[in-house]
């Protein structure tokens, strides 16, 4: 069996980028009987950026319900909150002692977020990749489905694991990052050179998977394209148009070439409207299921508790193995 592990931060409302780049892939991997899947809400990571307590709480519950509504099934996969399994923070401390400050300083996300949150460049923001390495390594993970932006963090998790294994022998499984074939980097609708992000201050730049249809259509109609007229897939020279084609291909479950053919002789306006309509259609069943689940807090908490217990059972074994190898006195 292959162990698949991935996580998402409840730092706002899930975007179409998170869905296409990550969660949709989780769903596909869960369907394979050879995979043992573990999915977490990375709520410890979320507080690296200051959160309003009530909003943070609501977002975390909402994210959990969303994952189930998107087909992540607690009967098939372990689905839990990172903060409910204490081994994450513990292993993160241990791994800190095997990670170099220079390595963390080089991380692209750290540099980006330090600029965006210049008034709060806290240690957690810098340490984000080490906590992520702990998440992944605790579960003897083989593959980590992520969007393109997280590949650098997977690389550092591998480096840390190899360093530890080099000192103590076979402690950790070396994980591999897995990208979705289409949509590993969904771009902002307002600035197609940067990725779509749920904490972008401009809500027109992203589609939240809970946006209503009218809002989705409005956001797609105002998507930034270019001053030409030809519809072709060319991410370098036509990033806005290529981003819309990517989203449409995923929403219609077609290849990009097939989608491009459908627009022979048509204009950018048609592309924007069709992409908006296809996304509304794709998200409709999920929204209905979400509206049902979010009212059933008792069920959500029952699933979260069971998920945390299952996760803990695996995590504690890995943590103890590592502690023993380091030489800690155990009770
Ligand atoms: N635009 C994107 N395209 C494809 N995949 C994406 N992911 C994020 N944005 C895109 C993937 O979604 C997963 C969960 O991401 P995360 O919440 O842990 O953190 P993030 O990568 O920092 O995502 P955001 O939306 O940009 O969050 P904020 O705004 O809070 O920083 C990951 O697998 C990620 O690759």
């Amino acid at each position: 069996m292959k162990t698949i592990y991935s996580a998402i931060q409840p730092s706002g409302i899930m975007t179409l980028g998170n869905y296409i780049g990550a969660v949709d892939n989780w769903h596909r991997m869960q369907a394979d009987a050879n995979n043992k899947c573990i999915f977490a809400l990375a709520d410890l990571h979320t507080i690296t950026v200051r959160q309003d307590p009530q909003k943070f709480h609501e977002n975390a519950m909402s994210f959990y319900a969303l994952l189930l509504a998107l087909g992540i099934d607690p009967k098939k996969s372990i689905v839990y909150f990172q903060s409910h399994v204490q081994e994450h923070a513990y292993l993160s401390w241990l791994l800190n002692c095997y990670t170099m400050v220079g390595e963390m300083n080089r991380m692209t996300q750290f540099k980006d977020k330090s600029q965006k949150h210049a008034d709060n460049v806290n240690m957690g923001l810098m340490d984000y990749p080490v906590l992520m390495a702990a998440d992944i390594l605790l579960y003897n993970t083989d593959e980590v489905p992520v969007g393109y932006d997280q590949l650098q963090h997977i690389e550092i998790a591998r480096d840390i694991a190899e360093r530890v294994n080099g000192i103590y022998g076979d402690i950790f499984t070396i994980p591999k990052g897995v990208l979705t074939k289409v949509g590993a980097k969904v771009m902002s609708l307002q600035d197609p050179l940067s990725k779509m992000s749920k904490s972008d201050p401009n809500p027109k730049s992203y589609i939240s998977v809970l946006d209503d249809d009218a809002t989705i259509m409005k956001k797609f109609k105002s998507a930034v394209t270019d001053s030409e007229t030809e519809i072709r897939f060319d991410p370098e020279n036509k990033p806005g148009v290529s981003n819309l084609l990517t989203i449409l291909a995923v929403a219609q479950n077609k290849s990009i070439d097939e989608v491009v053919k459908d627009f022979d002789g048509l204009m950018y306006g048609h592309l924007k409207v069709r992409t908006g309509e296809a996304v509304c259609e794709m998200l409709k069943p999920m929204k209905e299921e979400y509206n049902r689940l979010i009212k059933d807090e008792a069920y959500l908490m029952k699933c979260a508790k069971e998920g945390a217990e299952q996760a803990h059972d695996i995590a504690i074994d890995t943590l103890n193995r590592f502690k023993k190898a380091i030489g800690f006195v155990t009770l």
Side-chain angles (χ1 to χ4, degrees), residues 6-12 15-23 26 42 63 109 113 116 128 145-150 183-187 195-200:
S6 199
I8 186 163
Q9 297 183 72
S11 51
T15 67
L16 198 58
N18 299 134
Y19 173 62
I20 293 177
V23 181
W26 300 6
F63 248 90
Q109 182 182 281
K113 290 206 171 174
K116 272 194 205 148
Y128 183 115
V146 282
Y148 187 79
D149 61 312
Q150 291 293 341
K185 192 165 185 184
V186 177
M187 309 311 278
K195 74 158 189 159
M196 184 181 284
S197 204
K198 56 178 127 57
S199 57
D200 193 315

Side-chain angles (χ1 to χ4, degrees), residues 178-194:
V178 185
L179 291 179
T180 183
K181 283 199 189 75
V182 182
K185 192 165 185 184
V186 177
M187 309 311 278
S188 154
L189 296 183
Q190 291 300 311
D191 171 13
L193 293 177
S194 35

Side-chain angles (χ1 to χ4, degrees), residues 143-160:
E143 290 184 3
V144 190
V146 282
Y148 187 79
D149 61 312
Q150 291 293 341
L151 277 186
Q152 193 183 35
H153 290 165
I154 309 287
E155 273 311 306
I156 201 76
R158 289 167 61 92
D159 291 348
I160 298 170

